[in-house]
């Protein structure tokens, strides 16, 4: 599964695209690869996909408050006297996405926009925050068993 994290230029936010790569029978999402984007639309409006988005919202709420461990993050230093715990990120958008795949195939996916509410409006996210967003997306995929 290829998770894409795209930081917004001059904004303290990033977009995350998570294409679904395997069937999810618990959500009645069996046929994911579609020949056209229009065919993916029928998957995105299905009850199973809406249930997946609802579950993703719940897992994300927990991950934003309790982010996964990042080995190189300053808050995980052996002796950290700075109290540099990361500030919580804010979920701006969570919805379905039409993700282009290989060989003219399209598949449904999750589309998230996360923002640092304490950053200046005209600044880009620092690298450590982008890395934290990637770790959150990877943990979301793991918890929802999307790979």
């Amino acid at each position: 599964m290829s998770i894409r994290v795209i930081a917004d230029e001059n904004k303290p936010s990033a977009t995350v695209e998570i294409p679904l790569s395997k069937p999810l029978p618990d959500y009645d999402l069996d046929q994911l690869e579609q020949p056209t984007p229009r065919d993916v639309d029928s998957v995105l409006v299905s009850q199973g996909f809406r249930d997946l988005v609802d579950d993703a919202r719940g897992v994300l709420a927990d991950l934003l408050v309790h982010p996964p461990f990042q080995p190189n993050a300053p808050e995980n230093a052996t002796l950290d006297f700075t109290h540099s715990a990361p500030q919580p990120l804010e979920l701006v958008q969570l919805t379905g996405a039409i993700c282009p795949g290989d060989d003219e195939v399209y598949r449904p996916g999750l589309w998230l926009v996360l923002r640092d509410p304490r950053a200046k409006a005209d600044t880009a996210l620092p690298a450590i925050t982008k890395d934290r967003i990637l770790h959150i997306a990877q943990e979301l995929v793991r918890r929802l068993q999307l790979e």
Side-chain angles (χ1 to χ4, degrees):
M1 173 171 297
S2 60
I3 299 171
R4 290 189 338 144
V5 177
I6 304 138
D8 296 329
E9 287 188 35
N10 300 323
K11 292 182 183 176
S13 58
T15 300
V16 180
E17 181 183 274
I18 305 171
L20 302 181
S21 60
K22 70 170 194 169
L24 301 170
D26 290 347
Y27 296 101
D28 294 325
L29 298 174
D30 298 316
Q31 183 61 34
L32 297 178
E33 293 184 351
Q34 300 293 332
T36 67
R38 184 173 295 266
D39 294 323
V40 176
D41 281 338
S42 63
V43 176
L44 297 179
V45 298
S46 70
Q47 185 61 49
F49 191 83
R50 285 186 272 174
D51 292 343
L52 174 63
V53 170
D54 288 344
D55 288 350
R57 188 177 314 280
V59 171
L60 263 174
D62 180 56
L63 288 172
L64 293 177
V65 175
H66 307 290
F69 178 77
Q70 283 179 262
N72 298 327
E75 65 271 9
N76 295 324
T78 306
L79 293 173
D80 181 18
F81 298 111
T82 63
H83 304 290
S84 60
Q87 298 295 324
L89 295 168
E90 176 180 82
L91 178 62
V92 176
Q93 184 177 14
L94 170 60
T95 189
I98 299 172
C99 305
D102 301 328
D103 302 328
E104 300 293 321
V105 172
Y106 299 88
R107 58 178 36 107
L110 295 173
W111 177 269
L112 333 166
V113 178
L114 298 173
R115 181 175 79 88
D116 183 349
R118 290 175 179 75
K120 289 184 179 179
D122 58 348
T123 60
L125 289 174
I128 192 76
T129 304
K130 292 179 209 171
D131 193 42
R132 182 163 45 125
I133 289 171
L134 178 60
H135 279 82
I136 288 170
Q138 290 169 335
E139 183 64 13
L140 174 68
V141 166
R142 188 188 72 75
R143 289 190 189 180
L144 291 175
Q145 302 175 353
L146 299 180
E147 45 177 25

